[in-house]
Amino acid sequence: MSARLTPLELMTKLISFPTVSRDTNLPLVDWVEGYLSDHGITAHRYYHPDQLKAALFAHVGPEVEGAVVLSGHTDVVPVDGQPWDTDPFVVTQVDGKYFGRGTCDMKGYDALAIWALVEAHHAGVTTPMQLALSFDEEIGCLGAPPMIEAMQGVVPKGGPVIVGEPSMMKAVTGHKGGQGFDTHVIGFEVHSSLLNTGVSAILEGARIIDFANHRNAENFAATPSPLAAMFDPPCTTWHVGQVEGGTAHNITAKSCRFSMDFRAVPGDDTTALKEAYLSHVAEIERGMQAIRPETRVEVDIRFDVPPLQPETDGVAEGLVRAITGDNAGHVVSYGTEAGQFQAAGYSAVVCGPGDIAQAHQPNEFITVAQFEAGHAFMRDLVARLA
């Protein structure tokens, strides 16, 4: 049987795998599966259809339902073009901080979760524990839903889920959800002096994009609900971050591409929000086709992340509060996999070490104090389950 690694040793190993979302995560998954196997723990995989990525999940303790699920993701964002002072894939300790890509978001938590799973196994816990490590979280929380589905019937259904996104070890019970719509406007090219005989994909795309301005103005002017008022900003927001299109300054654009995204406060009807956008797109498309029938607008859903709804007497929330002593209310405007677990019938909460302000940044770090706070949390959790 191999040695039981410390959380720092585990984090150092995980960060040595450059699991940027565009690349494979299989070397990391292979290593984690082997490490768990060395300790007598059987892990299971769910593969991405291209077979280049996999989620990993495992169960320790009695083969009964109600396990505490420790949920994290294995992918990280790129470091391309960022001015790092250290090697981003080597953990470097300086001035009370651990630097490295993923120290904060979220291989630090993954390391703590793996440590806790092994400790729980050796302690012979009477309440089971599960580990769930996903892929493609950073490009839209795409890997968790099929992983959650794959877990059913392979391991007993879990109970409370602790999603370890950086929250400074506070119990986050609500977050915004969101959807992203890859939108491609296909126009008809003519010389710009005859633009009335063609269809400019860019000008028509601008009409579609203006939907975001109108919706944001309405939402910011409205009185927020008590739940929405907890968020910053206190309403659902619409956003377009990139626009691409056109051939030359004197040709009506044949193509225009952008992604229209919204972040919805819990309680807003995300289906209605989607339908409102698609209805607006259809209206613009009808106007285009009245000029040139061959023009069109194509829309594909890039991501769909449900909000995390605060639960009444939530089991996951109660467990985290009992360990941390944190009784304040916390919500965040970013999305996580917690909403996806909740939608699948689990009780879910977000709680992990580190500050979200450090996520995705050059010289990403987690403080030694926060990492140790996460370790103390896991020690307490294992003791409770034992």
Side-chain angles (χ1 to χ4, degrees), residues 55-90:
L56 191 77
F57 54 93
H59 177 104
V60 301
E63 291 290 319
V64 297
E65 294 187 353
V68 175
V69 184
L70 304 179
S71 165
H73 59 81
T74 61
D75 58 320
V76 296
V77 297
V79 299
D80 309 46
Q82 292 188 333
W84 282 75
D85 296 326
T86 63
D87 186 332
F89 299 109
V90 175

PDB file of all heavy atoms in Angstrom, residues 55-90:
ATOM      1  N   ALA A  55     -14.470  12.060 -16.278  1.00  0.00           N
ATOM      2  CA  ALA A  55     -14.800  12.374 -14.896  1.00  0.00           C
ATOM      3  C   ALA A  55     -14.487  11.148 -14.056  1.00  0.00           C
ATOM      4  O   ALA A  55     -14.463  10.019 -14.565  1.00  0.00           O
ATOM      5  CB  ALA A  55     -16.274  12.739 -14.772  1.00  0.00           C
ATOM      6  N   LEU A  56     -14.241  11.359 -12.777  1.00  0.00           N
ATOM      7  CA  LEU A  56     -13.891  10.265 -11.875  1.00  0.00           C
ATOM      8  C   LEU A  56     -14.742  10.375 -10.616  1.00  0.00           C
ATOM      9  O   LEU A  56     -14.896  11.465 -10.069  1.00  0.00           O
ATOM     10  CB  LEU A  56     -12.405  10.347 -11.508  1.00  0.00           C
ATOM     11  CG  LEU A  56     -11.812   9.132 -10.784  1.00  0.00           C
ATOM     12  CD1 LEU A  56     -11.557   8.001 -11.782  1.00  0.00           C
ATOM     13  CD2 LEU A  56     -10.513   9.506 -10.077  1.00  0.00           C
ATOM     14  N   PHE A  57     -15.314   9.248 -10.174  1.00  0.00           N
ATOM     15  CA  PHE A  57     -16.067   9.274  -8.927  1.00  0.00           C
ATOM     16  C   PHE A  57     -15.823   7.986  -8.155  1.00  0.00           C
ATOM     17  O   PHE A  57     -15.486   6.944  -8.730  1.00  0.00           O
ATOM     18  CB  PHE A  57     -17.564   9.497  -9.182  1.00  0.00           C
ATOM     19  CG  PHE A  57     -18.211   8.541 -10.153  1.00  0.00           C
ATOM     20  CD1 PHE A  57     -18.840   7.390  -9.697  1.00  0.00           C
ATOM     21  CD2 PHE A  57     -18.209   8.798 -11.518  1.00  0.00           C
ATOM     22  CE1 PHE A  57     -19.451   6.505 -10.584  1.00  0.00           C
ATOM     23  CE2 PHE A  57     -18.818   7.928 -12.408  1.00  0.00           C
ATOM     24  CZ  PHE A  57     -19.441   6.784 -11.948  1.00  0.00           C
ATOM     25  N   ALA A  58     -15.965   8.077  -6.838  1.00  0.00           N
ATOM     26  CA  ALA A  58     -15.670   6.936  -5.966  1.00  0.00           C
ATOM     27  C   ALA A  58     -16.503   7.044  -4.695  1.00  0.00           C
ATOM     28  O   ALA A  58     -16.956   8.133  -4.313  1.00  0.00           O
ATOM     29  CB  ALA A  58     -14.185   6.897  -5.629  1.00  0.00           C
ATOM     30  N   HIS A  59     -16.686   5.909  -4.028  1.00  0.00           N
ATOM     31  CA  HIS A  59     -17.515   5.804  -2.816  1.00  0.00           C
ATOM     32  C   HIS A  59     -16.723   5.027  -1.778  1.00  0.00           C
ATOM     33  O   HIS A  59     -16.139   3.979  -2.092  1.00  0.00           O
ATOM     34  CB  HIS A  59     -18.813   5.068  -3.156  1.00  0.00           C
ATOM     35  CG  HIS A  59     -19.725   4.814  -1.992  1.00  0.00           C
ATOM     36  ND1 HIS A  59     -20.872   5.546  -1.773  1.00  0.00           N
ATOM     37  CD2 HIS A  59     -19.672   3.880  -0.989  1.00  0.00           C
ATOM     38  CE1 HIS A  59     -21.483   5.083  -0.689  1.00  0.00           C
ATOM     39  NE2 HIS A  59     -20.776   4.071  -0.198  1.00  0.00           N
ATOM     40  N   VAL A  60     -16.708   5.515  -0.537  1.00  0.00           N
ATOM     41  CA  VAL A  60     -16.109   4.764   0.567  1.00  0.00           C
ATOM     42  C   VAL A  60     -17.113   4.708   1.714  1.00  0.00           C
ATOM     43  O   VAL A  60     -17.986   5.571   1.836  1.00  0.00           O
ATOM     44  CB  VAL A  60     -14.777   5.378   1.050  1.00  0.00           C
ATOM     45  CG1 VAL A  60     -13.755   5.424  -0.079  1.00  0.00           C
ATOM     46  CG2 VAL A  60     -14.981   6.761   1.650  1.00  0.00           C
ATOM     47  N   GLY A  61     -16.981   3.686   2.537  1.00  0.00           N
ATOM     48  CA  GLY A  61     -17.886   3.512   3.655  1.00  0.00           C
ATOM     49  C   GLY A  61     -19.002   2.545   3.303  1.00  0.00           C
ATOM     50  O   GLY A  61     -18.958   1.869   2.265  1.00  0.00           O
ATOM     51  N   PRO A  62     -20.015   2.449   4.144  1.00  0.00           N
ATOM     52  CA  PRO A  62     -21.115   1.509   3.898  1.00  0.00           C
ATOM     53  C   PRO A  62     -21.775   1.750   2.547  1.00  0.00           C
ATOM     54  O   PRO A  62     -21.889   2.885   2.088  1.00  0.00           O
ATOM     55  CB  PRO A  62     -22.086   1.807   5.053  1.00  0.00           C
ATOM     56  CG  PRO A  62     -21.266   2.480   6.100  1.00  0.00           C
ATOM     57  CD  PRO A  62     -20.202   3.236   5.373  1.00  0.00           C
ATOM     58  N   GLU A  63     -22.210   0.691   1.906  1.00  0.00           N
ATOM     59  CA  GLU A  63     -22.872   0.786   0.590  1.00  0.00           C
ATOM     60  C   GLU A  63     -24.342   1.147   0.781  1.00  0.00           C
ATOM     61  O   GLU A  63     -25.253   0.376   0.491  1.00  0.00           O
ATOM     62  CB  GLU A  63     -22.725  -0.539  -0.168  1.00  0.00           C
ATOM     63  CG  GLU A  63     -21.306  -0.842  -0.606  1.00  0.00           C
ATOM     64  CD  GLU A  63     -20.836   0.094  -1.710  1.00  0.00           C
ATOM     65  OE1 GLU A  63     -21.634   0.380  -2.624  1.00  0.00           O
ATOM     66  OE2 GLU A  63     -19.674   0.532  -1.654  1.00  0.00           O
ATOM     67  N   VAL A  64     -24.548   2.359   1.289  1.00  0.00           N
ATOM     68  CA  VAL A  64     -25.897   2.855   1.533  1.00  0.00           C
ATOM     69  C   VAL A  64     -26.002   4.264   0.960  1.00  0.00           C
ATOM     70  O   VAL A  64     -25.002   4.927   0.693  1.00  0.00           O
ATOM     71  CB  VAL A  64     -26.233   2.880   3.041  1.00  0.00           C
ATOM     72  CG1 VAL A  64     -26.211   1.462   3.613  1.00  0.00           C
ATOM     73  CG2 VAL A  64     -25.263   3.781   3.809  1.00  0.00           C
ATOM     74  N   GLU A  65     -27.237   4.723   0.770  1.00  0.00           N
ATOM     75  CA  GLU A  65     -27.447   6.066   0.250  1.00  0.00           C
ATOM     76  C   GLU A  65     -27.153   7.111   1.323  1.00  0.00           C
ATOM     77  O   GLU A  65     -27.074   6.807   2.504  1.00  0.00           O
ATOM     78  CB  GLU A  65     -28.893   6.213  -0.240  1.00  0.00           C
ATOM     79  CG  GLU A  65     -29.212   5.339  -1.435  1.00  0.00           C
ATOM     80  CD  GLU A  65     -30.593   5.614  -2.005  1.00  0.00           C
ATOM     81  OE1 GLU A  65     -31.358   6.391  -1.390  1.00  0.00           O
ATOM     82  OE2 GLU A  65     -30.905   5.055  -3.082  1.00  0.00           O
ATOM     83  N   GLY A  66     -27.007   8.343   0.867  1.00  0.00           N
ATOM     84  CA  GLY A  66     -26.821   9.452   1.798  1.00  0.00           C
ATOM     85  C   GLY A  66     -25.391   9.887   2.005  1.00  0.00           C
ATOM     86  O   GLY A  66     -25.107  10.660   2.934  1.00  0.00           O
ATOM     87  N   ALA A  67     -24.462   9.439   1.160  1.00  0.00           N
ATOM     88  CA  ALA A  67     -23.060   9.820   1.312  1.00  0.00           C
ATOM     89  C   ALA A  67     -22.878  11.327   1.188  1.00  0.00           C
ATOM     90  O   ALA A  67     -23.595  12.007   0.443  1.00  0.00           O
ATOM     91  CB  ALA A  67     -22.207   9.117   0.258  1.00  0.00           C
ATOM     92  N   VAL A  68     -21.901  11.856   1.907  1.00  0.00           N
ATOM     93  CA  VAL A  68     -21.460  13.230   1.697  1.00  0.00           C
ATOM     94  C   VAL A  68     -20.602  13.243   0.440  1.00  0.00           C
ATOM     95  O   VAL A  68     -19.615  12.513   0.340  1.00  0.00           O
ATOM     96  CB  VAL A  68     -20.659  13.744   2.897  1.00  0.00           C
ATOM     97  CG1 VAL A  68     -20.104  15.140   2.605  1.00  0.00           C
ATOM     98  CG2 VAL A  68     -21.516  13.763   4.151  1.00  0.00           C
ATOM     99  N   VAL A  69     -20.988  14.053  -0.539  1.00  0.00           N
ATOM    100  CA  VAL A  69     -20.296  14.100  -1.832  1.00  0.00           C
ATOM    101  C   VAL A  69     -19.399  15.328  -1.870  1.00  0.00           C
ATOM    102  O   VAL A  69     -19.862  16.459  -1.679  1.00  0.00           O
ATOM    103  CB  VAL A  69     -21.299  14.156  -3.000  1.00  0.00           C
ATOM    104  CG1 VAL A  69     -20.566  14.113  -4.334  1.00  0.00           C
ATOM    105  CG2 VAL A  69     -22.311  13.020  -2.891  1.00  0.00           C
ATOM    106  N   LEU A  70     -18.114  15.094  -2.112  1.00  0.00           N
ATOM    107  CA  LEU A  70     -17.153  16.181  -2.280  1.00  0.00           C
ATOM    108  C   LEU A  70     -16.940  16.369  -3.773  1.00  0.00           C
ATOM    109  O   LEU A  70     -16.399  15.493  -4.445  1.00  0.00           O
ATOM    110  CB  LEU A  70     -15.842  15.853  -1.567  1.00  0.00           C
ATOM    111  CG  LEU A  70     -15.962  15.533  -0.077  1.00  0.00           C
ATOM    112  CD1 LEU A  70     -14.588  15.206   0.515  1.00  0.00           C
ATOM    113  CD2 LEU A  70     -16.615  16.680   0.682  1.00  0.00           C
ATOM    114  N   SER A  71     -17.384  17.515  -4.295  1.00  0.00           N
ATOM    115  CA  SER A  71     -17.425  17.744  -5.737  1.00  0.00           C
ATOM    116  C   SER A  71     -16.431  18.819  -6.158  1.00  0.00           C
ATOM    117  O   SER A  71     -16.406  19.916  -5.596  1.00  0.00           O
ATOM    118  CB  SER A  71     -18.843  18.165  -6.144  1.00  0.00           C
ATOM    119  OG  SER A  71     -18.859  18.722  -7.442  1.00  0.00           O
ATOM    120  N   GLY A  72     -15.634  18.493  -7.173  1.00  0.00           N
ATOM    121  CA  GLY A  72     -14.697  19.459  -7.742  1.00  0.00           C
ATOM    122  C   GLY A  72     -14.531  19.226  -9.224  1.00  0.00           C
ATOM    123  O   GLY A  72     -15.012  18.234  -9.763  1.00  0.00           O
ATOM    124  N   HIS A  73     -13.834  20.128  -9.901  1.00  0.00           N
ATOM    125  CA  HIS A  73     -13.543  19.931 -11.322  1.00  0.00           C
ATOM    126  C   HIS A  73     -12.034  19.850 -11.531  1.00  0.00           C
ATOM    127  O   HIS A  73     -11.256  20.431 -10.765  1.00  0.00           O
ATOM    128  CB  HIS A  73     -14.167  21.012 -12.196  1.00  0.00           C
ATOM    129  CG  HIS A  73     -13.731  22.423 -11.901  1.00  0.00           C
ATOM    130  ND1 HIS A  73     -12.550  22.962 -12.367  1.00  0.00           N
ATOM    131  CD2 HIS A  73     -14.336  23.422 -11.210  1.00  0.00           C
ATOM    132  CE1 HIS A  73     -12.444  24.213 -11.975  1.00  0.00           C
ATOM    133  NE2 HIS A  73     -13.511  24.519 -11.264  1.00  0.00           N
ATOM    134  N   THR A  74     -11.638  19.137 -12.566  1.00  0.00           N
ATOM    135  CA  THR A  74     -10.215  18.890 -12.815  1.00  0.00           C
ATOM    136  C   THR A  74      -9.610  19.864 -13.809  1.00  0.00           C
ATOM    137  O   THR A  74      -8.384  19.932 -13.925  1.00  0.00           O
ATOM    138  CB  THR A  74     -10.007  17.462 -13.362  1.00  0.00           C
ATOM    139  OG1 THR A  74     -10.720  17.324 -14.609  1.00  0.00           O
ATOM    140  CG2 THR A  74     -10.500  16.414 -12.367  1.00  0.00           C
ATOM    141  N   ASP A  75     -10.423  20.597 -14.560  1.00  0.00           N
ATOM    142  CA  ASP A  75      -9.877  21.479 -15.589  1.00  0.00           C
ATOM    143  C   ASP A  75      -9.539  22.850 -15.022  1.00  0.00           C
ATOM    144  O   ASP A  75     -10.099  23.285 -14.000  1.00  0.00           O
ATOM    145  CB  ASP A  75     -10.836  21.598 -16.777  1.00  0.00           C
ATOM    146  CG  ASP A  75     -12.226  22.108 -16.388  1.00  0.00           C
ATOM    147  OD1 ASP A  75     -12.730  21.687 -15.323  1.00  0.00           O
ATOM    148  OD2 ASP A  75     -12.793  22.917 -17.145  1.00  0.00           O
ATOM    149  N   VAL A  76      -8.627  23.522 -15.705  1.00  0.00           N
ATOM    150  CA  VAL A  76      -8.221  24.874 -15.345  1.00  0.00           C
ATOM    151  C   VAL A  76      -8.264  25.745 -16.601  1.00  0.00           C
ATOM    152  O   VAL A  76      -8.324  25.239 -17.717  1.00  0.00           O
ATOM    153  CB  VAL A  76      -6.809  24.911 -14.733  1.00  0.00           C
ATOM    154  CG1 VAL A  76      -6.756  24.142 -13.424  1.00  0.00           C
ATOM    155  CG2 VAL A  76      -5.767  24.356 -15.712  1.00  0.00           C
ATOM    156  N   VAL A  77      -8.224  27.053 -16.395  1.00  0.00           N
ATOM    157  CA  VAL A  77      -8.209  27.971 -17.530  1.00  0.00           C
ATOM    158  C   VAL A  77      -6.778  28.119 -18.047  1.00  0.00           C
ATOM    159  O   VAL A  77      -5.810  27.821 -17.340  1.00  0.00           O
ATOM    160  CB  VAL A  77      -8.784  29.350 -17.139  1.00  0.00           C
ATOM    161  CG1 VAL A  77     -10.242  29.224 -16.744  1.00  0.00           C
ATOM    162  CG2 VAL A  77      -7.969  29.981 -16.017  1.00  0.00           C
ATOM    163  N   PRO A  78      -6.614  28.603 -19.274  1.00  0.00           N
ATOM    164  CA  PRO A  78      -5.272  28.729 -19.850  1.00  0.00           C
ATOM    165  C   PRO A  78      -4.411  29.760 -19.122  1.00  0.00           C
ATOM    166  O   PRO A  78      -4.919  30.654 -18.433  1.00  0.00           O
ATOM    167  CB  PRO A  78      -5.539  29.169 -21.295  1.00  0.00           C
ATOM    168  CG  PRO A  78      -6.965  28.801 -21.571  1.00  0.00           C
ATOM    169  CD  PRO A  78      -7.669  28.923 -20.246  1.00  0.00           C
ATOM    170  N   VAL A  79      -3.108  29.635 -19.332  1.00  0.00           N
ATOM    171  CA  VAL A  79      -2.158  30.627 -18.819  1.00  0.00           C
ATOM    172  C   VAL A  79      -1.570  31.451 -19.965  1.00  0.00           C
ATOM    173  O   VAL A  79      -0.765  32.353 -19.728  1.00  0.00           O
ATOM    174  CB  VAL A  79      -1.013  29.948 -18.031  1.00  0.00           C
ATOM    175  CG1 VAL A  79      -1.556  29.198 -16.836  1.00  0.00           C
ATOM    176  CG2 VAL A  79      -0.200  29.014 -18.934  1.00  0.00           C
ATOM    177  N   ASP A  80      -1.982  31.188 -21.190  1.00  0.00           N
ATOM    178  CA  ASP A  80      -1.441  31.859 -22.365  1.00  0.00           C
ATOM    179  C   ASP A  80      -1.518  33.374 -22.221  1.00  0.00           C
ATOM    180  O   ASP A  80      -2.584  33.927 -21.942  1.00  0.00           O
ATOM    181  CB  ASP A  80      -2.215  31.461 -23.625  1.00  0.00           C
ATOM    182  CG  ASP A  80      -2.355  29.954 -23.789  1.00  0.00           C
ATOM    183  OD1 ASP A  80      -2.698  29.290 -22.802  1.00  0.00           O
ATOM    184  OD2 ASP A  80      -2.141  29.460 -24.905  1.00  0.00           O
ATOM    185  N   GLY A  81      -0.395  34.035 -22.431  1.00  0.00           N
ATOM    186  CA  GLY A  81      -0.367  35.488 -22.419  1.00  0.00           C
ATOM    187  C   GLY A  81      -0.399  36.125 -21.049  1.00  0.00           C
ATOM    188  O   GLY A  81      -0.361  37.354 -20.937  1.00  0.00           O
ATOM    189  N   GLN A  82      -0.460  35.329 -19.995  1.00  0.00           N
ATOM    190  CA  GLN A  82      -0.494  35.891 -18.647  1.00  0.00           C
ATOM    191  C   GLN A  82       0.934  36.043 -18.107  1.00  0.00           C
ATOM    192  O   GLN A  82       1.770  35.152 -18.278  1.00  0.00           O
ATOM    193  CB  GLN A  82      -1.301  34.999 -17.700  1.00  0.00           C
ATOM    194  CG  GLN A  82      -2.786  34.959 -17.997  1.00  0.00           C
ATOM    195  CD  GLN A  82      -3.574  34.218 -16.918  1.00  0.00           C
ATOM    196  OE1 GLN A  82      -3.055  33.347 -16.233  1.00  0.00           O
ATOM    197  NE2 GLN A  82      -4.844  34.569 -16.796  1.00  0.00           N
ATOM    198  N   PRO A  83       1.229  37.154 -17.449  1.00  0.00           N
ATOM    199  CA  PRO A  83       2.589  37.390 -16.929  1.00  0.00           C
ATOM    200  C   PRO A  83       2.825  36.717 -15.583  1.00  0.00           C
ATOM    201  O   PRO A  83       2.696  37.334 -14.525  1.00  0.00           O
ATOM    202  CB  PRO A  83       2.645  38.914 -16.813  1.00  0.00           C
ATOM    203  CG  PRO A  83       1.223  39.311 -16.523  1.00  0.00           C
ATOM    204  CD  PRO A  83       0.355  38.330 -17.267  1.00  0.00           C
ATOM    205  N   TRP A  84       3.163  35.442 -15.606  1.00  0.00           N
ATOM    206  CA  TRP A  84       3.432  34.697 -14.377  1.00  0.00           C
ATOM    207  C   TRP A  84       4.870  34.939 -13.908  1.00  0.00           C
ATOM    208  O   TRP A  84       5.797  35.006 -14.721  1.00  0.00           O
ATOM    209  CB  TRP A  84       3.214  33.201 -14.606  1.00  0.00           C
ATOM    210  CG  TRP A  84       1.773  32.798 -14.603  1.00  0.00           C
ATOM    211  CD1 TRP A  84       0.852  33.003 -15.585  1.00  0.00           C
ATOM    212  CD2 TRP A  84       1.085  32.119 -13.544  1.00  0.00           C
ATOM    213  NE1 TRP A  84      -0.369  32.497 -15.217  1.00  0.00           N
ATOM    214  CE2 TRP A  84      -0.262  31.939 -13.971  1.00  0.00           C
ATOM    215  CE3 TRP A  84       1.456  31.635 -12.298  1.00  0.00           C
ATOM    216  CZ2 TRP A  84      -1.217  31.310 -13.178  1.00  0.00           C
ATOM    217  CZ3 TRP A  84       0.507  31.002 -11.510  1.00  0.00           C
ATOM    218  CH2 TRP A  84      -0.808  30.845 -11.944  1.00  0.00           C
ATOM    219  N   ASP A  85       5.041  35.027 -12.596  1.00  0.00           N
ATOM    220  CA  ASP A  85       6.386  35.170 -12.018  1.00  0.00           C
ATOM    221  C   ASP A  85       6.999  33.828 -11.659  1.00  0.00           C
ATOM    222  O   ASP A  85       8.198  33.761 -11.361  1.00  0.00           O
ATOM    223  CB  ASP A  85       6.320  36.047 -10.756  1.00  0.00           C
ATOM    224  CG  ASP A  85       5.876  37.465 -11.064  1.00  0.00           C
ATOM    225  OD1 ASP A  85       6.226  37.966 -12.153  1.00  0.00           O
ATOM    226  OD2 ASP A  85       5.161  38.059 -10.227  1.00  0.00           O
ATOM    227  N   THR A  86       6.166  32.780 -11.647  1.00  0.00           N
ATOM    228  CA  THR A  86       6.641  31.429 -11.341  1.00  0.00           C
ATOM    229  C   THR A  86       6.068  30.481 -12.385  1.00  0.00           C
ATOM    230  O   THR A  86       5.196  30.852 -13.176  1.00  0.00           O
ATOM    231  CB  THR A  86       6.182  30.983  -9.934  1.00  0.00           C
ATOM    232  OG1 THR A  86       4.742  30.931  -9.898  1.00  0.00           O
ATOM    233  CG2 THR A  86       6.684  31.940  -8.861  1.00  0.00           C
ATOM    234  N   ASP A  87       6.549  29.252 -12.385  1.00  0.00           N
ATOM    235  CA  ASP A  87       5.984  28.234 -13.269  1.00  0.00           C
ATOM    236  C   ASP A  87       4.559  27.948 -12.804  1.00  0.00           C
ATOM    237  O   ASP A  87       4.343  27.512 -11.666  1.00  0.00           O
ATOM    238  CB  ASP A  87       6.833  26.956 -13.189  1.00  0.00           C
ATOM    239  CG  ASP A  87       6.405  25.887 -14.197  1.00  0.00           C
ATOM    240  OD1 ASP A  87       5.218  25.855 -14.574  1.00  0.00           O
ATOM    241  OD2 ASP A  87       7.261  25.072 -14.591  1.00  0.00           O
ATOM    242  N   PRO A  88       3.550  28.183 -13.651  1.00  0.00           N
ATOM    243  CA  PRO A  88       2.166  28.013 -13.207  1.00  0.00           C
ATOM    244  C   PRO A  88       1.802  26.577 -12.869  1.00  0.00           C
ATOM    245  O   PRO A  88       0.784  26.350 -12.196  1.00  0.00           O
ATOM    246  CB  PRO A  88       1.339  28.533 -14.391  1.00  0.00           C
ATOM    247  CG  PRO A  88       2.243  28.462 -15.566  1.00  0.00           C
ATOM    248  CD  PRO A  88       3.620  28.681 -15.045  1.00  0.00           C
ATOM    249  N   PHE A  89       2.595  25.604 -13.330  1.00  0.00           N
ATOM    250  CA  PHE A  89       2.265  24.207 -13.067  1.00  0.00           C
ATOM    251  C   PHE A  89       3.211  23.571 -12.043  1.00  0.00           C
ATOM    252  O   PHE A  89       3.357  22.357 -11.977  1.00  0.00           O
ATOM    253  CB  PHE A  89       2.236  23.426 -14.382  1.00  0.00           C
ATOM    254  CG  PHE A  89       1.193  23.953 -15.334  1.00  0.00           C
ATOM    255  CD1 PHE A  89       1.556  24.647 -16.476  1.00  0.00           C
ATOM    256  CD2 PHE A  89      -0.156  23.804 -15.054  1.00  0.00           C
ATOM    257  CE1 PHE A  89       0.584  25.164 -17.326  1.00  0.00           C
ATOM    258  CE2 PHE A  89      -1.132  24.321 -15.893  1.00  0.00           C
ATOM    259  CZ  PHE A  89      -0.758  25.000 -17.037  1.00  0.00           C
ATOM    260  N   VAL A  90       3.824  24.443 -11.242  1.00  0.00           N
ATOM    261  CA  VAL A  90       4.632  24.020 -10.097  1.00  0.00           C
ATOM    262  C   VAL A  90       4.184  24.842  -8.898  1.00  0.00           C
ATOM    263  O   VAL A  90       4.192  26.071  -8.947  1.00  0.00           O
ATOM    264  CB  VAL A  90       6.135  24.238 -10.353  1.00  0.00           C
ATOM    265  CG1 VAL A  90       6.938  23.900  -9.094  1.00  0.00           C
ATOM    266  CG2 VAL A  90       6.623  23.400 -11.528  1.00  0.00           C
TER     267      VAL A  90
END
